[in-house]
Amino acid sequence: MQSQAVVQTEHASKYLTQLCKHWAHKFEVSFDPVLGRIVLPLGVCTLTATPAVLQIDLDGAEDADMGRFEDVVADHVNRFAHREGELTFPWVRS
């Protein structure tokens, strides 16, 4: 199963970088200022940063709890966004 959220923020690249660095010590991670990829036990998280949005694409593992996957990623991004306030993650599953 897949899920996507387009999050409105002017700090997308910053949050992408922070999230990738945060998980790099535990998981397979690759990133630059515009594109990040994190291989987690729940599946693959791909992040794309533009000047106005952070797009998050989740590709769940076969047995992944997508609600938990969405919550884990959103909670971590919100930790980095604490100065901006709570961000909204309008998840759409396919």
Side-chain angles (χ1 to χ4, degrees):
M1 181 172 280
Q2 297 179 328
S3 186
Q4 181 183 80
V6 177
V7 181
Q8 301 296 317
T9 178
E10 294 178 5
H11 306 286
S13 182
K14 177 182 174 183
Y15 300 150
L16 177 156
T17 300
Q18 286 179 298
L19 187 62
C20 289
K21 284 182 178 180
H22 175 76
W23 274 332
H25 69 284
K26 280 185 165 180
F27 307 113
E28 179 187 329
V29 173
S30 61
F31 68 97
D32 61 34
V34 176
L35 185 64
R37 183 175 185 273
I38 307 163
V39 180
L40 299 158
L42 290 167
V44 177
C45 173
T46 303
L47 307 150
T48 307
T50 71
V53 301
L54 176 61
Q55 179 176 315
I56 304 169
D57 293 288
L58 304 179
D59 187 8
E62 189 173 315
D63 60 347
D65 176 342
M66 289 306 288
R68 181 167 180 263
F69 197 2
E70 292 164 348
D71 289 345
V72 166
V73 173
D75 287 346
H76 277 78
V77 173
N78 267 323
R79 288 183 201 172
F80 303 126
H82 66 276
R83 290 189 181 107
E84 187 173 348
E86 185 121 350
L87 299 175
T88 301
F89 295 79
W91 296 107
V92 176
R93 294 185 188 172
S94 58

